Amino acid sequence: MEAHFKTPEIIRTPLKINFKNEAGTDAQGVSRDAYTSFWKMFFESSADGEDARVPAINPHYGLEEWQAIGRILVKGFLDVKVFPIQLAPVFFEALMFGEEALSPDDLFDSFMLYLSESDRKVISSALHDKSCQKKTWRRSKTYLIVKAAIAFHLKIKCSILSNNLHINA
């Protein structure tokens, strides 16, 4: 599918999608299935994270491929209202409003959704330990460093991807 979306004109072109070896006319149902299938395969092969997925850095994807994926995102939403809600909200915030719009709390929340449930529990436990409940701990350098490190990790990933993914609508 990506190969068909490498030209910007595809956004303005009406599409009729058909699956090979299937007799079906595209009355948006086939298109919806195609976009949904694309995102399912994309998440299985090219995204990381648990409850909130983030596109993974892929050595086979250059600017042209990321732009094609951006066009698939836009075209799928415009034409048949398919939107990959599995993507981390902070990822979309970075694409739409720039990295400077990301708050540390948004980054932290998205990072927690990115982690597996067991990792989430470990970090939550460490941050909410009874000894950590004291206001002095919540303001301590250690707490702020842990929170900043988590936010920084996700921000770096968003930064790399937002610099390579340009959505041309």
Side-chain angles (χ1 to χ4, degrees):
M1 188 172 205
E2 292 164 38
H4 298 288
F5 282 81
K6 288 191 175 182
T7 59
E9 296 78 34
I10 194 82
I11 295 293
R12 290 179 272 303
T13 305
L15 298 180
K16 290 286 185 186
I17 297 176
N18 294 308
F19 287 102
K20 289 182 180 179
N21 301 322
E22 283 192 29
T25 56
D26 191 2
Q28 292 196 341
V30 175
S31 289
R32 197 173 295 109
D33 288 348
Y35 287 110
T36 301
S37 295
F38 169 80
W39 287 113
K40 183 178 184 220
M41 289 186 294
F42 179 82
F43 288 129
E44 289 172 0
S45 65
S46 300
D48 295 327
E50 197 70 24
D51 293 335
R53 310 281 290 168
V54 177
I57 304 302
N58 185 329
H60 302 290
Y61 284 9
L63 179 60
E64 189 178 39
E65 287 76 19
W66 286 115
Q67 287 176 329
I69 291 167
R71 290 185 193 108
I72 292 167
L73 174 76
V74 171
K75 186 78 170 157
F77 181 72
L78 291 175
D79 288 359
V80 293
K81 307 301 182 247
V82 170
F83 191 79
I85 60 171
Q86 302 90 332
L87 284 171
V90 74
F91 177 75
F92 284 114
E93 285 179 48
L95 289 177
M96 294 170 56
F97 306 114
E99 295 171 51
E100 56 281 347
L102 303 175
S103 74
D105 286 339
D106 289 344
L107 288 166
F108 179 78
D109 293 344
S110 280
F111 183 73
M112 292 299 280
L113 292 172
Y114 172 86
L115 295 174
S116 67
E117 190 172 334
S118 60
D119 289 343
R120 218 177 296 158
K121 285 179 182 177
V122 169
I123 291 191
S124 290
S125 175
L127 293 175
H128 296 99
D129 187 290
K130 293 217 186 263
S131 63
C132 302
Q133 293 287 333
K134 298 176 187 173
K135 287 185 179 182
T136 54
W137 161 250
R138 303 279 291 175
R139 291 187 201 132
S140 75
K141 287 182 183 177
T142 306
Y143 174 80
L144 295 175
I145 289 169
V146 168
K147 195 162 180 173
I150 292 167
F152 181 73
H153 170 77
L154 193 57
K155 187 168 183 173
I156 290 297
K157 194 155 197 165
C158 286
S159 174
I160 290 167
L161 292 168
S162 66
N163 287 332
N164 287 311
L165 176 59
H166 305 279
I167 298 175
N168 297 322

